[in-house]
mmCIF file of all heavy atoms in Angstrom:
data_model
loop_
_atom_site.group_PDB
_atom_site.id
_atom_site.type_symbol
_atom_site.label_atom_id
_atom_site.label_comp_id
_atom_site.label_asym_id
_atom_site.label_seq_id
_atom_site.Cartn_x
_atom_site.Cartn_y
_atom_site.Cartn_z
ATOM 1 N N GLU A 583 16.383 -4.322 10.842
ATOM 2 C CA GLU A 583 14.969 -4.171 11.197
ATOM 3 C C GLU A 583 14.363 -2.866 10.687
ATOM 4 O O GLU A 583 13.166 -2.683 10.702
ATOM 5 C CB GLU A 583 14.765 -4.296 12.711
ATOM 6 C CG GLU A 583 15.525 -3.302 13.539
ATOM 7 C CD GLU A 583 16.947 -3.746 13.870
ATOM 8 O OE1 GLU A 583 17.344 -4.876 13.596
ATOM 9 O OE2 GLU A 583 17.682 -2.929 14.416
ATOM 10 N N HIS A 584 15.177 -1.935 10.210
ATOM 11 C CA HIS A 584 14.682 -0.669 9.684
ATOM 12 C C HIS A 584 14.633 -0.737 8.156
ATOM 13 O O HIS A 584 15.521 -0.250 7.473
ATOM 14 C CB HIS A 584 15.572 0.495 10.132
ATOM 15 C CG HIS A 584 15.684 0.600 11.614
ATOM 16 N ND1 HIS A 584 14.626 0.969 12.405
ATOM 17 C CD2 HIS A 584 16.710 0.343 12.452
ATOM 18 C CE1 HIS A 584 15.007 0.962 13.665
ATOM 19 N NE2 HIS A 584 16.255 0.573 13.723
ATOM 20 N N VAL A 585 13.604 -1.368 7.631
ATOM 21 C CA VAL A 585 13.450 -1.503 6.186
ATOM 22 C C VAL A 585 12.903 -0.187 5.642
ATOM 23 O O VAL A 585 11.910 0.332 6.145
ATOM 24 C CB VAL A 585 12.501 -2.673 5.852
ATOM 25 C CG1 VAL A 585 12.311 -2.798 4.355
ATOM 26 C CG2 VAL A 585 13.028 -3.967 6.431
ATOM 27 N N ARG A 586 13.565 0.355 4.633
ATOM 28 C CA ARG A 586 13.127 1.647 4.099
ATOM 29 C C ARG A 586 11.844 1.500 3.289
ATOM 30 O O ARG A 586 11.598 0.464 2.657
ATOM 31 C CB ARG A 586 14.225 2.293 3.294
ATOM 32 C CG ARG A 586 14.503 1.589 2.018
ATOM 33 C CD ARG A 586 15.434 2.386 1.140
ATOM 34 N NE ARG A 586 15.161 1.900 -0.176
ATOM 35 C CZ ARG A 586 16.030 1.792 -1.137
ATOM 36 N NH1 ARG A 586 17.238 2.189 -0.957
ATOM 37 N NH2 ARG A 586 15.698 1.318 -2.301
ATOM 38 N N PRO A 587 11.028 2.554 3.274
ATOM 39 C CA PRO A 587 9.781 2.502 2.505
ATOM 40 C C PRO A 587 10.045 2.470 1.002
ATOM 41 O O PRO A 587 11.101 2.873 0.540
ATOM 42 C CB PRO A 587 9.051 3.795 2.891
ATOM 43 C CG PRO A 587 9.926 4.543 3.811
ATOM 44 C CD PRO A 587 11.198 3.783 4.002
ATOM 45 N N VAL A 588 9.053 2.005 0.261
ATOM 46 C CA VAL A 588 9.108 1.984 -1.196
ATOM 47 C C VAL A 588 8.443 3.268 -1.680
ATOM 48 O O VAL A 588 7.311 3.563 -1.315
ATOM 49 C CB VAL A 588 8.360 0.751 -1.752
ATOM 50 C CG1 VAL A 588 8.387 0.747 -3.265
ATOM 51 C CG2 VAL A 588 8.949 -0.537 -1.199
ATOM 52 N N ASP A 589 9.151 4.048 -2.511
ATOM 53 C CA ASP A 589 8.636 5.336 -2.958
ATOM 54 C C ASP A 589 7.849 5.188 -4.256
ATOM 55 O O ASP A 589 8.416 5.083 -5.338
ATOM 56 C CB ASP A 589 9.777 6.329 -3.150
ATOM 57 C CG ASP A 589 9.286 7.722 -3.511
ATOM 58 O OD1 ASP A 589 8.078 8.000 -3.345
ATOM 59 O OD2 ASP A 589 10.106 8.536 -3.976
ATOM 60 N N ILE A 590 6.514 5.175 -4.109
ATOM 61 C CA ILE A 590 5.640 5.164 -5.286
ATOM 62 C C ILE A 590 4.783 6.424 -5.311
ATOM 63 O O ILE A 590 3.902 6.563 -6.153
ATOM 64 C CB ILE A 590 4.758 3.899 -5.352
ATOM 65 C CG1 ILE A 590 3.850 3.787 -4.142
ATOM 66 C CG2 ILE A 590 5.621 2.664 -5.537
ATOM 67 C CD1 ILE A 590 2.790 2.693 -4.257
ATOM 68 N N GLY A 591 5.045 7.334 -4.373
ATOM 69 C CA GLY A 591 4.251 8.558 -4.278
ATOM 70 C C GLY A 591 2.992 8.319 -3.484
ATOM 71 O O GLY A 591 2.836 7.308 -2.792
ATOM 72 N N LYS A 592 2.072 9.249 -3.594
ATOM 73 C CA LYS A 592 0.788 9.164 -2.902
ATOM 74 C C LYS A 592 -0.030 8.042 -3.534
ATOM 75 O O LYS A 592 -0.126 7.947 -4.763
ATOM 76 C CB LYS A 592 0.067 10.512 -3.042
ATOM 77 C CG LYS A 592 -1.243 10.575 -2.328
ATOM 78 C CD LYS A 592 -1.853 11.968 -2.515
ATOM 79 C CE LYS A 592 -3.248 11.997 -1.966
ATOM 80 N NZ LYS A 592 -3.894 13.288 -2.223
ATOM 81 N N LEU A 593 -0.602 7.186 -2.701
ATOM 82 C CA LEU A 593 -1.403 6.086 -3.225
ATOM 83 C C LEU A 593 -2.607 6.623 -3.978
ATOM 84 O O LEU A 593 -3.292 7.540 -3.518
ATOM 85 C CB LEU A 593 -1.865 5.160 -2.102
ATOM 86 C CG LEU A 593 -0.770 4.300 -1.479
ATOM 87 C CD1 LEU A 593 -1.312 3.552 -0.275
ATOM 88 C CD2 LEU A 593 -0.213 3.327 -2.490
ATOM 89 N N ALA A 594 -2.847 6.044 -5.144
ATOM 90 C CA ALA A 594 -3.947 6.467 -6.001
ATOM 91 C C ALA A 594 -5.247 5.861 -5.520
ATOM 92 O O ALA A 594 -5.284 4.733 -5.026
ATOM 93 C CB ALA A 594 -3.675 6.053 -7.447
ATOM 94 N N GLU A 595 -6.312 6.616 -5.672
ATOM 95 C CA GLU A 595 -7.649 6.109 -5.373
ATOM 96 C C GLU A 595 -8.127 5.264 -6.537
ATOM 97 O O GLU A 595 -7.914 5.611 -7.687
ATOM 98 C CB GLU A 595 -8.633 7.274 -5.177
ATOM 99 C CG GLU A 595 -8.391 8.061 -3.914
ATOM 100 C CD GLU A 595 -8.742 7.302 -2.659
ATOM 101 O OE1 GLU A 595 -9.637 6.431 -2.710
ATOM 102 O OE2 GLU A 595 -8.105 7.555 -1.632
ATOM 103 N N SER A 596 -8.784 4.180 -6.240
ATOM 104 C CA SER A 596 -9.354 3.351 -7.297
ATOM 105 C C SER A 596 -10.672 3.969 -7.744
ATOM 106 O O SER A 596 -11.516 4.297 -6.924
ATOM 107 C CB SER A 596 -9.578 1.929 -6.783
ATOM 108 O OG SER A 596 -10.252 1.176 -7.744
ATOM 109 N N ARG A 597 -10.847 4.119 -9.056
ATOM 110 C CA ARG A 597 -12.083 4.684 -9.594
ATOM 111 C C ARG A 597 -13.050 3.588 -10.004
ATOM 112 O O ARG A 597 -14.134 3.853 -10.472
ATOM 113 C CB ARG A 597 -11.760 5.544 -10.809
ATOM 114 C CG ARG A 597 -10.957 6.759 -10.473
ATOM 115 C CD ARG A 597 -10.765 7.565 -11.727
ATOM 116 N NE ARG A 597 -10.332 6.745 -12.833
ATOM 117 C CZ ARG A 597 -9.156 6.831 -13.418
ATOM 118 N NH1 ARG A 597 -8.273 7.690 -13.011
ATOM 119 N NH2 ARG A 597 -8.857 6.049 -14.423
ATOM 120 N N SER A 598 -12.657 2.349 -9.852
ATOM 121 C CA SER A 598 -13.514 1.282 -10.348
ATOM 122 C C SER A 598 -14.250 0.584 -9.211
ATOM 123 O O SER A 598 -13.821 0.600 -8.072
ATOM 124 C CB SER A 598 -12.674 0.253 -11.096
ATOM 125 O OG SER A 598 -11.796 -0.383 -10.204
ATOM 126 N N PHE A 599 -15.362 -0.015 -9.550
ATOM 127 C CA PHE A 599 -16.097 -0.845 -8.617
ATOM 128 C C PHE A 599 -15.459 -2.218 -8.624
ATOM 129 O O PHE A 599 -15.098 -2.746 -9.665
ATOM 130 C CB PHE A 599 -17.566 -0.949 -9.056
ATOM 131 C CG PHE A 599 -18.332 -1.972 -8.271
ATOM 132 C CD1 PHE A 599 -18.743 -1.688 -6.980
ATOM 133 C CD2 PHE A 599 -18.609 -3.202 -8.815
ATOM 134 C CE1 PHE A 599 -19.433 -2.635 -6.249
ATOM 135 C CE2 PHE A 599 -19.305 -4.151 -8.088
ATOM 136 C CZ PHE A 599 -19.720 -3.867 -6.795
ATOM 137 N N SER A 600 -15.316 -2.812 -7.448
ATOM 138 C CA SER A 600 -14.704 -4.127 -7.376
ATOM 139 C C SER A 600 -15.475 -5.002 -6.411
ATOM 140 O O SER A 600 -15.809 -4.581 -5.303
ATOM 141 C CB SER A 600 -13.252 -4.004 -6.902
ATOM 142 O OG SER A 600 -12.695 -5.276 -6.743
ATOM 143 N N ILE A 601 -15.781 -6.202 -6.830
ATOM 144 C CA ILE A 601 -16.416 -7.174 -5.944
ATOM 145 C C ILE A 601 -15.404 -7.653 -4.918
ATOM 146 O O ILE A 601 -15.728 -7.923 -3.780
ATOM 147 C CB ILE A 601 -16.961 -8.370 -6.768
ATOM 148 C CG1 ILE A 601 -18.099 -7.890 -7.666
ATOM 149 C CG2 ILE A 601 -17.423 -9.486 -5.862
ATOM 150 C CD1 ILE A 601 -18.603 -8.910 -8.629
ATOM 151 N N ILE A 602 -14.159 -7.721 -5.337
ATOM 152 C CA ILE A 602 -13.075 -8.170 -4.463
ATOM 153 C C ILE A 602 -12.463 -6.937 -3.811
ATOM 154 O O ILE A 602 -11.981 -6.040 -4.490
ATOM 155 C CB ILE A 602 -11.989 -8.904 -5.274
ATOM 156 C CG1 ILE A 602 -12.608 -10.067 -6.032
ATOM 157 C CG2 ILE A 602 -10.862 -9.376 -4.361
ATOM 158 C CD1 ILE A 602 -11.725 -10.640 -7.100
ATOM 159 N N PRO A 603 -12.471 -6.855 -2.459
ATOM 160 C CA PRO A 603 -11.878 -5.686 -1.822
ATOM 161 C C PRO A 603 -10.365 -5.677 -2.007
ATOM 162 O O PRO A 603 -9.726 -6.719 -2.049
ATOM 163 C CB PRO A 603 -12.241 -5.866 -0.339
ATOM 164 C CG PRO A 603 -12.494 -7.315 -0.176
ATOM 165 C CD PRO A 603 -12.973 -7.823 -1.513
ATOM 166 N N THR A 604 -9.811 -4.482 -2.153
ATOM 167 C CA THR A 604 -8.372 -4.366 -2.293
ATOM 168 C C THR A 604 -7.796 -3.751 -1.038
ATOM 169 O O THR A 604 -8.382 -2.840 -0.465
ATOM 170 C CB THR A 604 -7.989 -3.494 -3.507
ATOM 171 O OG1 THR A 604 -8.604 -2.228 -3.366
ATOM 172 C CG2 THR A 604 -8.410 -4.145 -4.808
ATOM 173 N N ALA A 605 -6.667 -4.258 -0.606
ATOM 174 C CA ALA A 605 -6.001 -3.713 0.566
ATOM 175 C C ALA A 605 -5.363 -2.390 0.186
ATOM 176 O O ALA A 605 -4.845 -2.232 -0.899
ATOM 177 C CB ALA A 605 -4.945 -4.684 1.067
ATOM 178 N N ARG A 606 -5.438 -1.440 1.087
ATOM 179 C CA ARG A 606 -4.881 -0.129 0.822
ATOM 180 C C ARG A 606 -4.292 0.407 2.098
ATOM 181 O O ARG A 606 -4.898 0.351 3.150
ATOM 182 C CB ARG A 606 -5.997 0.805 0.367
ATOM 183 C CG ARG A 606 -5.621 1.617 -0.832
ATOM 184 C CD ARG A 606 -6.753 2.471 -1.294
ATOM 185 N NE ARG A 606 -6.871 3.756 -0.675
ATOM 186 C CZ ARG A 606 -5.963 4.706 -0.680
ATOM 187 N NH1 ARG A 606 -4.803 4.499 -1.219
ATOM 188 N NH2 ARG A 606 -6.184 5.860 -0.129
ATOM 189 N N ALA A 607 -3.103 0.942 2.026
ATOM 190 C CA ALA A 607 -2.492 1.580 3.182
ATOM 191 C C ALA A 607 -3.137 2.946 3.360
ATOM 192 O O ALA A 607 -3.649 3.526 2.425
ATOM 193 C CB ALA A 607 -0.994 1.737 2.953
ATOM 194 N N ALA A 608 -3.109 3.446 4.590
ATOM 195 C CA ALA A 608 -3.612 4.795 4.826
ATOM 196 C C ALA A 608 -2.766 5.767 4.009
ATOM 197 O O ALA A 608 -1.585 5.533 3.771
ATOM 198 C CB ALA A 608 -3.539 5.122 6.308
ATOM 199 N N GLU A 609 -3.371 6.896 3.597
ATOM 200 C CA GLU A 609 -2.700 7.832 2.709
ATOM 201 C C GLU A 609 -1.351 8.291 3.237
ATOM 202 O O GLU A 609 -0.406 8.468 2.491
ATOM 203 C CB GLU A 609 -3.614 9.029 2.485
ATOM 204 C CG GLU A 609 -3.103 9.995 1.456
ATOM 205 C CD GLU A 609 -4.104 11.096 1.211
ATOM 206 O OE1 GLU A 609 -5.218 10.777 0.760
ATOM 207 O OE2 GLU A 609 -3.764 12.246 1.469
ATOM 208 N N ASP A 610 -1.246 8.500 4.547
ATOM 209 C CA ASP A 610 -0.001 8.988 5.125
ATOM 210 C C ASP A 610 0.981 7.879 5.484
ATOM 211 O O ASP A 610 2.113 8.152 5.840
ATOM 212 C CB ASP A 610 -0.291 9.823 6.378
ATOM 213 C CG ASP A 610 -1.068 11.084 6.036
ATOM 214 O OD1 ASP A 610 -0.944 11.559 4.887
ATOM 215 O OD2 ASP A 610 -1.800 11.580 6.909
ATOM 216 N N ASP A 611 0.535 6.637 5.458
ATOM 217 C CA ASP A 611 1.415 5.518 5.783
ATOM 218 C C ASP A 611 2.298 5.187 4.594
ATOM 219 O O ASP A 611 1.803 5.024 3.477
ATOM 220 C CB ASP A 611 0.614 4.265 6.148
ATOM 221 C CG ASP A 611 -0.108 4.393 7.474
ATOM 222 O OD1 ASP A 611 0.229 5.315 8.249
ATOM 223 O OD2 ASP A 611 -1.011 3.582 7.726
ATOM 224 N N PRO A 612 3.613 5.074 4.802
ATOM 225 C CA PRO A 612 4.473 4.686 3.675
ATOM 226 C C PRO A 612 4.262 3.214 3.328
ATOM 227 O O PRO A 612 3.894 2.411 4.181
ATOM 228 C CB PRO A 612 5.884 4.924 4.214
ATOM 229 C CG PRO A 612 5.744 4.814 5.697
ATOM 230 C CD PRO A 612 4.346 5.270 6.033
ATOM 231 N N VAL A 613 4.465 2.872 2.078
ATOM 232 C CA VAL A 613 4.412 1.480 1.651
ATOM 233 C C VAL A 613 5.780 0.893 1.993
ATOM 234 O O VAL A 613 6.806 1.393 1.539
ATOM 235 C CB VAL A 613 4.120 1.364 0.143
ATOM 236 C CG1 VAL A 613 4.140 -0.085 -0.289
ATOM 237 C CG2 VAL A 613 2.784 2.004 -0.188
ATOM 238 N N THR A 614 5.795 -0.136 2.813
ATOM 239 C CA THR A 614 7.055 -0.728 3.245
ATOM 240 C C THR A 614 7.445 -1.890 2.338
ATOM 241 O O THR A 614 6.751 -2.218 1.396
ATOM 242 C CB THR A 614 6.950 -1.202 4.708
ATOM 243 O OG1 THR A 614 5.883 -2.147 4.808
ATOM 244 C CG2 THR A 614 6.693 -0.044 5.648
ATOM 245 N N SER A 615 8.521 -2.524 2.675
ATOM 246 C CA SER A 615 9.069 -3.647 1.910
ATOM 247 C C SER A 615 8.102 -4.826 1.851
ATOM 248 O O SER A 615 7.269 -5.017 2.732
ATOM 249 C CB SER A 615 10.376 -4.078 2.581
ATOM 250 O OG SER A 615 10.619 -5.442 2.414
ATOM 251 N N CYS A 616 8.272 -5.653 0.827
ATOM 252 C CA CYS A 616 7.463 -6.863 0.708
ATOM 253 C C CYS A 616 7.712 -7.835 1.858
ATOM 254 O O CYS A 616 6.898 -8.706 2.132
ATOM 255 C CB CYS A 616 7.711 -7.547 -0.631
ATOM 256 S SG CYS A 616 9.415 -8.035 -0.950
ATOM 257 N N MET A 617 8.829 -7.662 2.566
ATOM 258 C CA MET A 617 9.125 -8.524 3.710
ATOM 259 C C MET A 617 8.123 -8.309 4.842
ATOM 260 O O MET A 617 7.970 -9.149 5.714
ATOM 261 C CB MET A 617 10.545 -8.286 4.223
ATOM 262 C CG MET A 617 11.624 -8.690 3.239
ATOM 263 S SD MET A 617 11.563 -10.429 2.781
ATOM 264 C CE MET A 617 11.792 -11.211 4.353
ATOM 265 N N LEU A 618 7.426 -7.172 4.828
ATOM 266 C CA LEU A 618 6.456 -6.846 5.872
ATOM 267 C C LEU A 618 5.024 -6.909 5.352
ATOM 268 O O LEU A 618 4.115 -6.363 5.964
ATOM 269 C CB LEU A 618 6.751 -5.449 6.428
ATOM 270 C CG LEU A 618 8.149 -5.259 7.012
ATOM 271 C CD1 LEU A 618 8.375 -3.804 7.387
ATOM 272 C CD2 LEU A 618 8.364 -6.177 8.207
ATOM 273 N N ASP A 619 4.802 -7.583 4.239
ATOM 274 C CA ASP A 619 3.499 -7.665 3.596
ATOM 275 C C ASP A 619 3.162 -9.129 3.355
ATOM 276 O O ASP A 619 4.030 -10.000 3.444
ATOM 277 C CB ASP A 619 3.555 -6.896 2.258
ATOM 278 C CG ASP A 619 2.187 -6.550 1.697
ATOM 279 O OD1 ASP A 619 1.168 -6.897 2.315
ATOM 280 O OD2 ASP A 619 2.149 -5.929 0.618
ATOM 281 N N ARG A 620 1.915 -9.408 3.062
ATOM 282 C CA ARG A 620 1.477 -10.751 2.692
ATOM 283 C C ARG A 620 0.663 -10.654 1.411
ATOM 284 O O ARG A 620 0.032 -9.629 1.150
ATOM 285 C CB ARG A 620 0.608 -11.350 3.797
ATOM 286 C CG ARG A 620 1.351 -11.648 5.065
ATOM 287 C CD ARG A 620 0.494 -12.438 6.032
ATOM 288 N NE ARG A 620 -0.874 -11.982 6.070
ATOM 289 C CZ ARG A 620 -1.477 -11.511 7.153
ATOM 290 N NH1 ARG A 620 -0.839 -11.423 8.281
ATOM 291 N NH2 ARG A 620 -2.735 -11.130 7.112
ATOM 292 N N PRO A 621 0.639 -11.727 0.622
ATOM 293 C CA PRO A 621 -0.136 -11.654 -0.625
ATOM 294 C C PRO A 621 -1.636 -11.679 -0.364
ATOM 295 O O PRO A 621 -2.105 -12.271 0.600
ATOM 296 C CB PRO A 621 0.307 -12.905 -1.388
ATOM 297 C CG PRO A 621 0.802 -13.845 -0.354
ATOM 298 C CD PRO A 621 1.343 -12.988 0.770
#
């Protein structure tokens, strides 16, 4: 149950305008395994 975070560093800010909103984790929240995510 303790899935380790995925290390991609600090999440980058998107500089582009998008009609489709993109999901983003809070800056301090680690990105966890795909087992805890949905498409």
Side-chain angles (χ1 to χ4, degrees):
E583 59 274 352
H584 302 291
V585 179
R586 70 170 203 213
V588 179
D589 185 15
I590 60 170
K592 182 179 172 184
L593 289 173
E595 290 290 331
S596 174
R597 294 183 312 246
S598 66
F599 170 76
S600 176
I601 294 173
I602 304 166
T604 56
R606 226 177 87 59
E609 187 176 298
D610 295 334
D611 290 345
V613 177
T614 58
S615 150
C616 59
M617 294 301 300
L618 302 174
D619 197 0
R620 292 189 319 240

